[in-house]
Amino acid sequence: MDGTTYNVKIWAIRVYRGKRKTTYSVRWELDGREWRAPFDTKALADAFRSELVSATRRGEAFSLATGRPVSHQSGASAVNWYDFAVQFSDAQWHRTGGNNRKNTAKTLMATTVALLRAEPTAFRPVDVRTALREFAFNTRRREDAPPQVASILKWVKRNTLTMAAWEDPAKVEEVLRTVDSKLDGTRAAASSVKRNRRILNVAMEYAVKHRILRANPLPKGRGAAPQTSSAVDKRSLLNPEQAARLLGWVRRRPRGGKRLHAFFATMYYAGPRPEEVVAMGVADVRLPDEDAEDQWCELLFHTAQPEVGKNWTDDGEIHEERGLKGRASDDTRVVPGHPSLTRILREHIKEENLKPGDLLFQGEKGGMLAGSVIRRAWRTARAGMLHPEEFASPLGKRVYDLRHTCLTNWLNDGIPPAQVAEWAGNSVPVLLAIYARCISGHLQDLKQRILARGDLPELSETG
């Protein structure tokens, strides 16, 4: 694929007259393989064909990877894809968070496998993928790779194509088809495909910036990536009776039930993201006096602690501390807490004997509440309290659906979208894109408003 040849045949320009425009294609053949380059004008096509003819007259070799004369090549053929991918992952590591690092490693792993010259025979494919994902494209762990992993990575480096592969449109299409598929060959989810394309686009722009490639080879425009919808599935939303059953089941759990009940209730009544709730301290809750007439509380959110895994954080911790999503690093937001939430949090703080400097929701050993504990409790609550058909449905399938339910309830209660967006930590366009389809209960009022405008006036037959 990366070799050269002198076996070149250059053909006449082919003209295609379409409904919208005419295309002039230069065609040539290298070792029996046809290449073509389309142009919008005959003059451009003639000029390019003349360059190819001049190269053959000079006795210049043509690249089997790009189809072009060697003199046309960029620096791509001198750079191994594996070396470039490692360099790119290191550059991204220092400017992105843990989840982005993990996703970048997954995409680069799949791309590297697609760019291997041959299938591995001395190693299992699963071991090759693991070595690439967990070590090659992990800046923190690469130097600590075990001997077996190091051997795999050396083999990968020797057997990976050069960056010139990206200058071959057919190879680019083949790589994208592989990266966009699951291991069984079926198409991956649209969201996964879109994420992979986004990461590869950043990688290709990095290659252009460092003069490894002349241009970004990935397809652009409409249809380049699948369309995805961010709208909430209405079937995932909980009604009050379903929410009460689930939260009640959690509260009755013999092990940490009341603590987890307060956690889930905070999401249901105030709508924060899970990583924002686990980061809350006792001082972030402003409770009214017990005898106050107004029993609404206030929740202050200023930090998030997403769980990304110790292999992907700078300090080796499971959680990664960061600012609120989509906001400046030192930004905060205040959300009102329903009187029912006030009662739940007041009891929680008393029973746990929490002090102002403590985390509001702690694990059994006093540390941060683990995501696995949260997800397991919610999963068992669904299995224990929902009917079989409800359990099999999207109803409350993710802990995040408690946030979706809260924000939808606010919008359906008539809270202005701008205010809901402020409490949720979203922009108004993002909020409406996600939740507009879930707004209901206003149809009769809207119909009356339309009727109030009146109908067309009666006109005389002569008028």
Side-chain angles (χ1 to χ4, degrees), residues 300-304 321-333:
L300 176 66
F301 297 102
H302 54 83
T303 307
E321 183 173 340
R322 70 182 189 195
L324 299 179
K325 185 176 181 179
R327 299 200 174 199
S329 59
D330 57 349
D331 204 356
T332 63
R333 75 175 192 270

Side-chain angles (χ1 to χ4, degrees), residues 175-403:
V175 171
L176 292 180
R177 187 165 54 248
T178 302
V179 172
D180 293 346
S181 303
K182 295 188 286 188
L183 292 178
D184 60 4
T186 59
R187 180 81 166 177
S191 57
S192 298
V193 173
K194 193 171 184 178
R195 182 180 63 241
N196 290 338
R197 295 292 182 95
R198 174 178 53 79
I199 292 171
L200 281 178
N201 261 303
V202 176
M204 295 300 104
E205 292 298 334
Y206 182 86
V208 173
K209 179 180 178 181
H210 288 77
R211 300 183 179 180
I212 298 172
L213 295 176
R214 296 187 180 191
N216 187 335
L218 300 185
K220 299 289 192 299
R222 200 177 192 88
Q227 295 292 322
T228 57
S229 173
S230 57
V232 169
D233 186 344
K234 294 179 69 172
R235 298 174 299 169
S236 68
L237 303 178
L238 299 161
N239 64 38
E241 190 269 338
Q242 292 163 341
R245 282 160 48 198
L246 289 169
L247 267 64
W249 189 96
V250 171
R251 184 177 176 81
R252 293 189 296 272
R253 274 178 57 125
R255 187 173 178 180
K258 292 183 178 179
R259 184 188 311 120
L260 289 166
H261 171 263
F263 178 94
F264 293 133
T266 300
M267 290 194 63
Y268 177 78
Y269 285 111
R273 301 175 178 89
E275 62 265 28
E276 295 170 344
V277 187
V278 297
M280 290 182 68
V282 176
D284 297 327
V285 181
R286 300 169 183 171
L287 297 173
D289 293 334
E290 292 190 44
D291 57 354
E293 183 177 351
D294 184 355
Q295 283 297 304
W296 284 80
C297 64
E298 283 188 342
L299 307 182
L300 176 66
F301 297 102
H302 54 83
T303 307
Q305 289 274 1
E307 188 177 87
V308 299
K310 62 182 180 180
N311 291 336
W312 303 99
T313 57
D314 290 322
D315 55 9
E317 295 293 329
I318 295 177
H319 292 83
E320 178 182 62
E321 183 173 340
R322 70 182 189 195
L324 299 179
K325 185 176 181 179
R327 299 200 174 199
S329 59
D330 57 349
D331 204 356
T332 63
R333 75 175 192 270
V334 178
V335 181
H338 192 279
S340 296
L341 181 60
T342 299
R343 174 180 52 78
I344 292 170
L345 292 180
R346 182 181 286 125
E347 292 177 0
H348 168 71
I349 292 172
K350 285 182 179 179
E351 291 193 9
E352 297 288 322
N353 194 27
L354 299 176
K355 304 296 186 294
D358 294 339
L359 281 171
L360 182 60
F361 302 108
Q362 302 177 5
E364 291 186 346
K365 297 182 179 179
M368 193 161 292
L369 192 57
S372 58
V373 174
I374 297 168
R375 291 187 295 271
R376 184 167 58 251
W378 187 250
R379 185 168 57 248
T380 52
R382 290 185 76 249
M385 293 306 299
L386 296 182
H387 301 303
E389 61 274 13
E390 292 177 329
F391 181 77
S393 75
L395 177 65
K397 195 165 189 177
R398 302 182 306 158
V399 175
Y400 209 95
D401 291 328
L402 287 167
R403 168 178 163 88

Side-chain angles (χ1 to χ4, degrees), residues 144-156:
D144 299 327
Q148 174 69 6
V149 171
S151 297
I152 293 174
L153 297 183
K154 287 179 181 178
W155 179 88
V156 169

